[in-house]
Amino acid sequence: MTFKKNGGNSNILRKKSFDMIIEDVNDKNHALKKSLSWFDLILFGIGAIIGTGIFVLTGVAAAKYAGPGLILSFILSGIACTFAALSYAEFASTFPAAGSTYSYSYVALGEIFAWIIGWDLILEYAFAIPTIALGWSGYFTNLLYSFGVNIPVWAANSASSAPGGIINLPAIGIVLLLGIILLFGTKESSIINNIAVIFKIMVVLFFIAVAVWHVHPSNWKPFLPYGWKGVFSGAAIIFFAYIGFDSVSTAAEETKNPERDMPIGILGSLGISTLLYIVVVAILTGVVSYTKLNTPEPVAFALTSLGINWASGLVSFGAIAGITTVLLVMMYGQTRIFFAMSRDGLLPPLLSKLHEKFKTPVASTIIVALFAALVAGFFSIDELAKLVNIGTMFAFVLVSIAVIVLRYTKPDLPRKFRCPFVPLIPILSIASTVFLMISLPLETWIRFIVWFVLGIIIYFFYGYRHSKLAQNDYKGVKVESLYKEV
């Protein structure tokens, strides 16, 4: 099978073909190194999922939105994410290319939709990284304080997050450090991630083992202090806790056997993380009244309230390791989105230029690190988390739509993993995600619309004219050997 020259195409709904995806993957000038296994992907996903959600947002969401009913919020968000994850697993195993939902939309829906979702993913990752960095900073500052080291308020908080705050130096520092690590290669970053993930899972299990004996059922009453509206609002807020699984799909091009390993990595990491979330939230709200959990380090706070200070310190250390892996994976995902869009000509070519030795996108990594560091240094966590949520939810809606469209337009496309009960499962994903989106505040929607309009302007001024499809920049390549097992 060979790819036929497309011819310059000025249609904003122009689509990439399956052959074009494979040509991009095999392009020696833009080929990422294949080094990840299914085990790496599961830990990659857990590394992205378990962190800020479990160590930071659980306290705020319980205190301000759902109370002990946050358990139901996590279940609702988990179900919505499972529906979306099945769609992600089908696409990631079918199209082993960097770019996640962006690449899938390019094939199924057309270039304008691919641009929209790519721009949306930039929003998701660009603000997820500094949000997570702020959570990291809170635990790091707390850990230093337990050792008698007190970072001044002005140096550990932005002006919008605490009185007397000026800049959050710990948040800036960790982002820049991880940016440097990412420059050295995917496998090297994966090894660091795997070690930290195993450690943080052990810490979470340790918290469960220690705290479960101190649960007082009276703390679960009332179970729904804010009613079902609070449960739904809580689900929309802590949706942030689940977004890591979609980062796994950005690693498809660097996976040794993506047809088999991507579904295992996506669904396995989501399942393990959901179970741990539910158990930890149940114990957390059973140990401490939800009214006292409005703190950036709720898990450590719970152990301190029990007088187990040494355990609190250990959990803080585990939280730092855990949140570090989330940061690492999110920064990785952002750079691969830039890489994929640049390789297609929708963003400047500098963003897809690879380091000669490490085969990592240098400019993309530097830009991501510098932008995230600046935002983390001067904004508050509440302002950023809501923007991330709506961006992620919109991505879930589009990938679910894309699965339905491609099943009918390309029924014979080789699919190693198939989302079951199409179109029912994708429709349930769309419905549950839209329901959660409606629960987000109006100001979040306004910011999202402004970002959307800005993206459309950039597309028509740059991406539309520089797209590889518009430039007729595909040469033709044989691809019979890609799916030898199909």
Side-chain angles (χ1 to χ4, degrees):
M1 179 171 62
T2 58
F3 167 69
K4 295 181 180 180
K5 206 169 185 180
N6 184 52
N9 190 336
S10 60
N11 189 346
I12 62 172
L13 293 176
R14 55 198 175 201
K15 298 179 182 179
K16 291 181 70 174
S17 70
F18 178 75
D19 297 7
M20 292 176 185
I21 292 284
I22 304 312
E23 181 177 323
D24 284 338
V25 172
N26 293 329
D27 183 354
K28 293 182 179 180
N29 294 323
H30 298 94
L32 296 166
K33 185 178 179 181
K34 295 184 179 294
S35 59
L36 302 176
S37 67
W38 65 266
F39 182 74
D40 292 323
L41 292 176
I42 287 180
L43 293 185
F44 194 82
I46 294 174
I49 300 170
I50 296 182
T52 307
I54 203 166
F55 291 115
V56 179
L57 291 181
T58 46
V60 175
K64 298 174 65 175
Y65 296 97
L70 189 64
I71 297 169
L72 300 179
S73 299
F74 269 104
I75 293 174
L76 288 174
S77 284
I79 291 172
C81 287
T82 299
F83 291 147
L86 290 167
S87 296
Y88 269 92
E90 174 170 322
F91 271 130
S93 62
T94 304
F95 302 109
S100 185
T101 322
Y102 159 77
S103 295
Y104 315 150
S105 299
Y106 217 147
V107 175
L109 304 176
E111 185 174 277
I112 184 63
F113 289 101
W115 169 267
I116 289 171
I117 195 61
W119 188 247
D120 176 67
L121 289 171
I122 291 173
L123 170 70
E124 173 189 338
Y125 288 112
F127 292 104
I129 295 165
T131 302
I132 297 162
L134 290 172
W136 186 95
S137 176
Y139 269 97
F140 180 72
T141 303
N142 182 67
L143 183 63
L144 290 183
Y145 181 76
S146 67
F147 287 107
V149 179
N150 190 15
I151 300 179
V153 172
W154 69 265
N157 297 275
S158 65
S160 59
S161 61
I166 298 177
I167 185 172
N168 197 316
L169 293 178
I172 292 175
I174 188 60
V175 169
L176 295 179
L177 175 62
L178 293 181
I180 293 172
I181 291 174
L182 282 173
L183 284 174
F184 283 98
T186 301
K187 187 60 181 179
E188 291 73 15
S189 302
S190 174
I191 292 172
I192 294 173
N193 176 75
N194 292 353
I195 294 171
V197 167
I198 291 172
F199 176 73
K200 75 175 174 183
I201 289 176
M202 292 176 63
V203 170
V204 170
L205 294 176
F206 169 79
F207 168 75
I208 293 171
V210 171
V212 69
W213 308 105
H214 299 276
V215 169
H216 298 287
S218 60
N219 286 325
W220 291 329
K221 298 177 182 178
F223 189 70
L224 301 178
Y226 302 101
W228 279 101
K229 181 180 179 181
V231 171
F232 296 138
S233 296
I237 297 301
I238 55 89
F239 194 86
F240 183 93
Y242 284 104
I243 66 172
F245 82 82
D246 65 326
S247 299
V248 177
S249 64
T250 65
E253 193 169 327
E254 292 161 275
T255 301
K256 296 175 183 177
N257 187 356
E259 302 91 353
R260 181 198 66 184
D261 296 345
M262 291 307 299
I264 295 175
I266 291 172
L267 297 171
S269 60
L270 179 61
I272 293 170
S273 300
T274 299
L275 179 61
L276 289 176
Y277 274 145
I278 293 170
V279 173
V280 167
V281 170
I283 293 175
L284 185 65
T285 54
V287 169
V288 181
S289 170
Y290 72 91
T291 60
K292 300 178 181 178
L293 288 175
N294 190 13
T295 169
E297 54 275 334
V299 176
F301 173 78
L303 291 174
T304 300
S305 68
L306 295 174
I308 314 175
N309 294 325
W310 63 272
S312 173
L314 178 63
V315 168
S316 292
F317 190 71
I320 290 172
I323 297 173
T324 300
T325 65
V326 180
L327 264 175
L328 188 67
V329 175
M330 288 295 172
M331 291 180 69
Y332 169 91
Q334 174 76 95
T335 62
R336 269 45 180 185
I337 297 298
F338 275 146
F339 171 82
M341 295 179 72
S342 171
R343 183 169 61 182
D344 289 333
L346 299 181
L347 289 175
L350 178 66
L351 296 175
S352 57
K353 184 177 177 60
L354 299 179
H355 190 281
E356 291 185 6
K357 178 180 179 181
F358 303 121
K359 296 298 179 183
T360 54
V362 181
S364 292
T365 304
I366 293 173
I367 290 172
V368 167
L370 290 178
F371 177 82
L374 287 173
V375 175
F378 297 102
F379 286 83
S380 70
I381 195 167
D382 287 344
E383 296 170 314
L384 300 174
K386 293 171 186 175
L387 271 175
V388 176
N389 285 353
I390 196 169
T392 306
M393 291 172 185
F394 188 63
F396 286 5
V397 169
L398 280 186
V399 78
S400 299
I401 293 173
V403 164
I404 298 173
V405 170
L406 213 59
R407 281 293 186 93
Y408 287 97
T409 58
K410 301 286 185 182
D412 299 325
L413 192 69
R415 293 172 172 88
K416 195 71 174 181
F417 176 88
R418 298 175 69 90
C419 174
F421 306 113
V422 173
L424 178 60
I425 293 297
I427 289 174
L428 288 174
S429 172
I430 294 166
S432 57
T433 303
V434 169
F435 180 78
L436 293 176
M437 291 176 74
I438 294 172
S439 300
L440 288 169
L442 177 61
E443 61 268 22
T444 301
W445 276 95
I446 293 173
R447 292 168 183 166
F448 178 68
I449 291 171
V450 170
W451 178 264
F452 176 85
V453 172
L454 177 62
I456 293 296
I457 293 172
I458 293 175
Y459 170 72
F460 282 107
F461 272 90
Y462 184 89
Y464 174 74
R465 291 181 293 172
H466 291 83
S467 163
K468 285 180 70 175
L469 290 183
Q471 299 295 324
N472 188 22
D473 197 18
Y474 284 91
K475 282 83 177 174
V477 59
K478 292 183 178 181
V479 296
E480 293 97 337
S481 62
L482 181 71
Y483 284 99
K484 293 182 290 187
E485 300 175 6
V486 177

